[in-house]
Amino acid sequence: MKKNLKILSLQFKSFLGDKEKNFKKVAKLMKENIDFQADIVILPEVWNTGLDYKNFQKTAEYIPEQTTMLLSGLAENYKTYIIGGSFIEKTYDGKFYNTCVIFDRQGAVVGTYRKNYIFSHCGSLEGKYIENGNEICIVNIEGIKVGIGICYDIRFPELFRKMAKEGAEIFAIPAAFPQERIKHWNILNQARALENLAFLLSCNQFGNSNLISPYGEIIQSSSQKEEVIRNIIQINEIFTARKDMPFLKDIRNI
Protein backbone atom coordinates (compact mmCIF):
# COMPACT_ATOMS: atom_id res chain seq x y z
CA MET A 1 0.00 0.00 0.00
CA LYS A 2 1.29 3.45 -0.91
CA LYS A 3 1.71 6.05 1.84
CA ASN A 4 0.11 8.75 -0.28
CA LEU A 5 -1.83 9.19 -3.50
CA LYS A 6 -1.36 12.07 -5.91
CA ILE A 7 -4.75 13.17 -7.17
CA LEU A 8 -5.53 15.28 -10.22
CA SER A 9 -9.02 16.72 -10.71
CA LEU A 10 -9.70 18.08 -14.22
CA GLN A 11 -12.45 20.66 -13.79
CA PHE A 12 -13.76 22.14 -17.02
CA LYS A 13 -17.11 23.07 -18.53
CA SER A 14 -17.90 20.88 -21.51
CA PHE A 15 -18.52 22.09 -25.05
CA LEU A 16 -22.20 21.22 -25.35
CA GLY A 17 -22.73 18.28 -27.68
CA ASP A 18 -19.20 18.41 -29.13
CA LYS A 19 -17.34 15.21 -28.27
CA GLU A 20 -14.33 16.00 -30.43
CA LYS A 21 -13.63 19.29 -28.65
CA ASN A 22 -14.13 17.67 -25.25
CA PHE A 23 -11.79 14.79 -26.14
CA LYS A 24 -9.11 17.30 -27.17
CA LYS A 25 -9.64 19.25 -23.94
CA VAL A 26 -9.04 16.19 -21.76
CA ALA A 27 -5.99 15.15 -23.76
CA LYS A 28 -4.60 18.70 -23.45
CA LEU A 29 -5.14 18.86 -19.69
CA MET A 30 -3.53 15.46 -19.19
CA LYS A 31 -0.47 16.53 -21.20
CA GLU A 32 -0.18 19.84 -19.35
CA ASN A 33 -0.06 18.03 -16.01
CA ILE A 34 2.28 15.18 -16.94
CA ASP A 35 4.93 16.53 -14.54
CA PHE A 36 2.67 15.83 -11.54
CA GLN A 37 2.68 12.06 -12.20
CA ALA A 38 -0.80 11.59 -10.74
CA ASP A 39 -1.92 8.31 -9.20
CA ILE A 40 -5.61 9.15 -9.69
CA VAL A 41 -7.22 11.42 -12.28
CA ILE A 42 -10.91 12.32 -12.00
CA LEU A 43 -13.11 14.00 -14.62
CA PRO A 44 -16.54 15.72 -14.34
CA GLU A 45 -19.96 14.21 -14.94
CA VAL A 46 -21.05 13.92 -18.62
CA TRP A 47 -17.89 15.73 -19.68
CA ASN A 48 -17.91 14.31 -23.20
CA THR A 49 -21.17 16.05 -24.21
CA GLY A 50 -22.21 18.32 -21.35
CA LEU A 51 -25.80 18.39 -20.13
CA ASP A 52 -27.16 17.87 -23.63
CA TYR A 53 -30.31 16.15 -22.35
CA LYS A 54 -32.32 15.95 -25.55
CA ASN A 55 -29.42 14.29 -27.36
CA PHE A 56 -28.40 11.94 -24.53
CA GLN A 57 -29.73 8.85 -26.26
CA LYS A 58 -28.46 9.92 -29.68
CA THR A 59 -24.89 10.46 -28.45
CA ALA A 60 -24.87 7.54 -25.97
CA GLU A 61 -22.14 4.92 -26.32
CA TYR A 62 -21.62 1.25 -25.64
CA ILE A 63 -18.67 0.05 -23.54
CA PRO A 64 -16.16 0.05 -25.16
CA GLU A 65 -16.57 2.87 -27.66
CA GLN A 66 -15.10 6.34 -28.27
CA THR A 67 -15.13 7.78 -24.77
CA THR A 68 -13.97 4.71 -22.88
CA MET A 69 -11.34 3.89 -25.51
CA LEU A 70 -9.91 7.41 -25.17
CA LEU A 71 -9.74 7.15 -21.38
CA SER A 72 -8.24 3.68 -21.51
CA GLY A 73 -5.48 4.95 -23.78
CA LEU A 74 -4.79 7.95 -21.55
CA ALA A 75 -4.62 5.76 -18.44
CA GLU A 76 -2.14 3.44 -20.12
CA ASN A 77 -0.09 6.26 -21.64
CA TYR A 78 0.22 8.23 -18.39
CA LYS A 79 0.37 5.14 -16.13
CA THR A 80 -2.41 6.44 -13.90
CA TYR A 81 -5.80 5.36 -12.61
CA ILE A 82 -8.61 7.34 -14.26
CA ILE A 83 -12.02 7.81 -12.67
CA GLY A 84 -13.66 8.66 -15.96
CA GLY A 85 -16.24 11.23 -14.90
CA SER A 86 -19.37 9.96 -16.58
CA PHE A 87 -20.98 9.60 -19.98
CA ILE A 88 -24.33 8.31 -21.22
CA GLU A 89 -24.03 4.57 -21.70
CA LYS A 90 -26.34 2.55 -23.93
CA THR A 91 -26.73 -1.17 -23.44
CA TYR A 92 -27.61 -3.95 -25.84
CA ASP A 93 -31.01 -4.36 -24.18
CA GLY A 94 -31.95 -0.80 -25.11
CA LYS A 95 -31.36 0.94 -21.77
CA PHE A 96 -29.48 4.18 -21.04
CA TYR A 97 -27.46 5.06 -17.93
CA ASN A 98 -25.27 7.87 -16.58
CA THR A 99 -22.13 5.79 -16.12
CA CYS A 100 -18.65 6.18 -14.65
CA VAL A 101 -15.93 3.77 -15.79
CA ILE A 102 -12.68 3.40 -13.84
CA PHE A 103 -9.39 2.38 -15.47
CA ASP A 104 -6.12 1.11 -13.98
CA ARG A 105 -2.58 2.09 -14.96
CA GLN A 106 -2.61 -0.40 -17.83
CA GLY A 107 -5.85 1.01 -19.26
CA ALA A 108 -7.98 -1.94 -18.13
CA VAL A 109 -11.49 -1.40 -16.79
CA VAL A 110 -11.53 -2.10 -13.02
CA GLY A 111 -14.99 -0.76 -12.19
CA THR A 112 -18.24 0.52 -13.67
CA TYR A 113 -20.79 2.59 -11.77
CA ARG A 114 -24.25 3.61 -12.97
CA LYS A 115 -25.69 6.67 -11.23
CA ASN A 116 -28.24 5.51 -8.66
CA TYR A 117 -30.15 8.76 -8.14
CA ILE A 118 -31.44 10.61 -11.21
CA PHE A 119 -32.11 14.35 -10.90
CA SER A 120 -35.48 15.30 -12.39
CA HIS A 121 -36.23 18.61 -10.67
CA CYS A 122 -35.68 22.33 -11.38
CA GLY A 123 -35.98 21.85 -15.13
CA SER A 124 -33.61 18.89 -15.41
CA LEU A 125 -34.60 16.31 -18.03
CA GLU A 126 -32.16 13.62 -16.93
CA GLY A 127 -34.86 11.24 -15.77
CA LYS A 128 -36.70 11.51 -19.08
CA TYR A 129 -33.86 9.91 -21.00
CA ILE A 130 -31.93 7.63 -18.64
CA GLU A 131 -32.57 5.05 -15.92
CA ASN A 132 -31.36 4.55 -12.37
CA GLY A 133 -28.52 2.21 -11.56
CA ASN A 134 -29.04 -0.12 -8.61
CA GLU A 135 -25.58 -1.10 -7.34
CA ILE A 136 -22.66 0.46 -5.50
CA CYS A 137 -19.15 0.47 -6.92
CA ILE A 138 -15.94 0.22 -4.90
CA VAL A 139 -12.59 -0.15 -6.65
CA ASN A 140 -9.19 -1.01 -5.21
CA ILE A 141 -6.58 1.62 -6.00
CA GLU A 142 -3.13 0.87 -4.63
CA GLY A 143 -4.63 -1.05 -1.71
CA ILE A 144 -7.18 1.66 -0.86
CA LYS A 145 -10.91 1.17 -1.43
CA VAL A 146 -12.49 3.98 -3.43
CA GLY A 147 -16.29 4.33 -3.60
CA ILE A 148 -17.90 6.07 -6.58
CA GLY A 149 -20.92 8.38 -6.67
CA ILE A 150 -22.19 10.82 -9.31
CA CYS A 151 -23.53 14.33 -8.62
CA TYR A 152 -27.10 14.02 -7.22
CA ASP A 153 -26.03 10.86 -5.36
CA ILE A 154 -24.32 13.19 -2.88
CA ARG A 155 -27.73 14.04 -1.35
CA PHE A 156 -28.33 10.45 -0.26
CA PRO A 157 -26.20 9.52 2.77
CA GLU A 158 -27.43 5.92 2.79
CA LEU A 159 -25.51 5.25 -0.45
CA PHE A 160 -22.24 6.46 1.06
CA ARG A 161 -22.84 4.70 4.36
CA LYS A 162 -23.38 1.46 2.45
CA MET A 163 -20.05 1.95 0.70
CA ALA A 164 -18.36 2.75 4.01
CA LYS A 165 -19.74 -0.47 5.49
CA GLU A 166 -18.18 -2.26 2.52
CA GLY A 167 -14.82 -0.72 3.37
CA ALA A 168 -14.67 2.48 1.27
CA GLU A 169 -11.95 4.85 2.51
CA ILE A 170 -12.10 7.47 -0.25
CA PHE A 171 -15.15 8.72 -2.15
CA ALA A 172 -14.83 10.03 -5.72
CA ILE A 173 -17.70 12.14 -7.09
CA PRO A 174 -17.87 13.40 -10.69
CA ALA A 175 -20.54 16.08 -10.98
CA ALA A 176 -22.29 18.77 -12.98
CA PHE A 177 -23.78 20.48 -9.92
CA PRO A 178 -25.14 24.01 -10.60
CA GLN A 179 -23.73 27.11 -8.95
CA GLU A 180 -27.15 28.29 -7.74
CA ARG A 181 -27.08 25.43 -5.21
CA ILE A 182 -23.33 25.38 -4.63
CA LYS A 183 -23.69 26.00 -0.87
CA HIS A 184 -25.58 22.72 -0.66
CA TRP A 185 -22.85 21.01 -2.70
CA ASN A 186 -20.03 22.11 -0.41
CA ILE A 187 -21.89 21.18 2.77
CA LEU A 188 -22.87 17.79 1.35
CA ASN A 189 -19.27 17.10 0.29
CA GLN A 190 -18.10 17.79 3.84
CA ALA A 191 -20.92 15.83 5.44
CA ARG A 192 -20.39 12.67 3.36
CA ALA A 193 -16.67 12.73 4.22
CA LEU A 194 -17.09 13.46 7.94
CA GLU A 195 -19.90 11.04 8.70
CA ASN A 196 -17.92 8.20 7.10
CA LEU A 197 -14.41 9.33 8.13
CA ALA A 198 -13.29 9.15 4.53
CA PHE A 199 -11.50 11.42 2.08
CA LEU A 200 -13.81 12.84 -0.57
CA LEU A 201 -12.62 13.95 -3.99
CA SER A 202 -15.12 15.69 -6.26
CA CYS A 203 -14.83 17.10 -9.78
CA ASN A 204 -17.64 19.45 -10.75
CA GLN A 205 -18.04 20.93 -14.24
CA PHE A 206 -19.36 24.20 -12.83
CA GLY A 207 -16.83 24.84 -10.08
CA ASN A 208 -16.07 24.12 -6.45
CA SER A 209 -14.43 20.78 -7.04
CA ASN A 210 -13.28 19.71 -3.60
CA LEU A 211 -10.79 17.63 -1.69
CA ILE A 212 -12.23 16.96 1.79
CA SER A 213 -10.41 15.32 4.70
CA PRO A 214 -11.85 12.46 6.81
CA TYR A 215 -12.53 15.11 9.46
CA GLY A 216 -14.78 17.00 7.05
CA GLU A 217 -12.30 19.81 6.47
CA ILE A 218 -11.90 21.41 3.05
CA ILE A 219 -8.29 20.80 2.04
CA GLN A 220 -8.71 22.42 -1.37
CA SER A 221 -11.61 23.85 -3.36
CA SER A 222 -11.49 25.21 -6.89
CA SER A 223 -12.92 28.40 -8.29
CA GLN A 224 -15.82 28.55 -10.74
CA LYS A 225 -13.46 28.83 -13.72
CA GLU A 226 -11.65 26.04 -15.53
CA GLU A 227 -9.15 24.76 -12.98
CA VAL A 228 -7.07 21.74 -12.10
CA ILE A 229 -6.69 20.49 -8.54
CA ARG A 230 -3.34 18.88 -7.82
CA ASN A 231 -2.99 17.56 -4.29
CA ILE A 232 -1.78 14.60 -2.25
CA ILE A 233 -3.88 12.35 -0.02
CA GLN A 234 -1.97 11.11 3.01
CA ILE A 235 -3.35 7.61 3.53
CA ASN A 236 -2.51 7.48 7.25
CA GLU A 237 -5.03 10.29 7.87
CA ILE A 238 -7.85 7.83 7.18
CA PHE A 239 -6.61 5.34 9.77
CA THR A 240 -5.84 8.09 12.29
CA ALA A 241 -9.32 9.59 11.97
CA ARG A 242 -11.01 6.20 12.36
CA LYS A 243 -8.90 5.46 15.42
CA ASP A 244 -9.52 8.87 17.00
CA MET A 245 -13.27 8.76 16.33
CA PRO A 246 -14.28 5.09 16.05
CA PHE A 247 -18.00 5.79 15.72
CA LEU A 248 -18.35 3.70 12.54
CA LYS A 249 -18.11 0.70 14.87
CA ASP A 250 -21.24 1.88 16.68
CA ILE A 251 -23.53 1.77 13.65
CA ARG A 252 -26.77 -0.10 14.47
CA ASN A 253 -29.48 -1.40 12.19
CA ILE A 254 -32.60 0.18 13.68
Side-chain angles (χ1 to χ4, degrees):
M1 182 187 297
K2 297 189 71 170
K3 292 184 179 180
N4 56 60
L5 292 172
K6 292 183 177 182
I7 58 96
L8 181 66
S9 180
L10 305 181
Q11 174 188 298
F12 67 97
K13 186 176 180 180
S14 300
F15 297 99
L16 192 66
D18 195 330
K19 287 186 182 180
E20 192 61 34
K21 282 187 178 180
N22 293 320
F23 290 166
K24 289 180 179 178
K25 170 63 73 173
V26 169
K28 179 175 181 287
L29 291 173
M30 291 289 291
K31 186 175 181 180
E32 288 174 350
N33 289 278
I34 190 173
D35 62 299
F36 185 58
Q37 297 183 318
D39 294 301
I40 299 174
V41 178
I42 182 172
L43 280 69
E45 180 184 21
V46 291
W47 63 269
N48 68 337
T49 62
L51 293 172
D52 192 16
Y53 297 117
K54 294 182 180 179
N55 289 310
F56 268 177
Q57 294 183 0
K58 180 180 177 181
T59 59
E61 299 179 24
Y62 296 110
I63 300 174
E65 210 169 323
Q66 289 174 289
T67 299
T68 47
M69 290 174 69
L70 171 73
L71 295 177
S72 174
L74 290 171
E76 182 179 19
N77 185 51
Y78 291 98
K79 298 295 184 285
T80 184
Y81 285 84
I82 292 183
I83 298 169
S86 78
F87 70 102
I88 304 305
E89 174 199 6
K90 60 181 176 182
T91 64
Y92 289 102
D93 58 357
K95 295 182 179 180
F96 297 86
Y97 298 96
N98 188 338
T99 300
C100 176
V101 181
I102 304 93
F103 304 85
D104 68 12
R105 297 183 191 273
Q106 289 74 48
V109 173
V110 292
T112 300
Y113 172 70
R114 291 168 172 165
K115 186 175 182 181
N116 271 261
Y117 293 95
I118 305 304
F119 189 72
S120 297
H121 312 288
C122 305
S124 172
L125 299 175
E126 185 178 28
K128 183 176 179 179
Y129 298 104
I130 65 173
E131 300 187 38
N132 301 75
N134 292 297
E135 298 180 356
I136 63 171
C137 176
I138 299 173
V139 295
N140 189 310
I141 296 181
E142 304 294 343
I144 297 297
K145 292 185 177 182
V146 180
I148 311 298
I150 299 175
C151 200
Y152 187 44
D153 286 336
I154 198 78
R155 289 191 180 272
F156 299 89
E158 57 272 21
L159 176 66
F160 293 84
R161 180 51 53 84
K162 184 174 183 178
M163 289 192 285
K165 286 182 176 181
E166 294 293 325
E169 297 154 317
I170 297 173
F171 297 128
I173 320 293
F177 204 100
Q179 276 294 318
E180 56 263 34
R181 295 185 292 280
I182 208 66
K183 288 183 178 179
H184 296 189
W185 168 251
N186 289 329
I187 291 169
L188 291 164
N189 275 229
Q190 291 179 271
R192 298 297 85 85
L194 176 59
E195 68 196 6
N196 294 294
L197 299 168
F199 277 104
L200 187 144
L201 168 63
S202 61
C203 185
N204 183 27
Q205 270 208 47
F206 303 121
N208 293 89
S209 300
N210 292 312
L211 176 59
I212 311 294
S213 81
Y215 293 99
E217 298 163 344
I218 298 176
I219 298 171
Q220 189 172 349
S221 185
S222 68
S223 68
Q224 296 175 22
K225 300 177 181 179
E226 180 178 307
E227 188 173 341
V228 170
I229 285 182
R230 294 168 35 148
N231 215 308
I232 299 176
I233 288 175
Q234 301 293 339
I235 299 304
N236 279 340
E237 288 187 33
I238 303 167
F239 309 129
T240 299
R242 292 183 176 186
K243 182 179 179 181
D244 287 348
M245 299 188 295
F247 57 73
L248 290 178
K249 295 179 181 179
D250 294 330
I251 295 171
R252 299 171 58 213
N253 293 321
I254 55 175

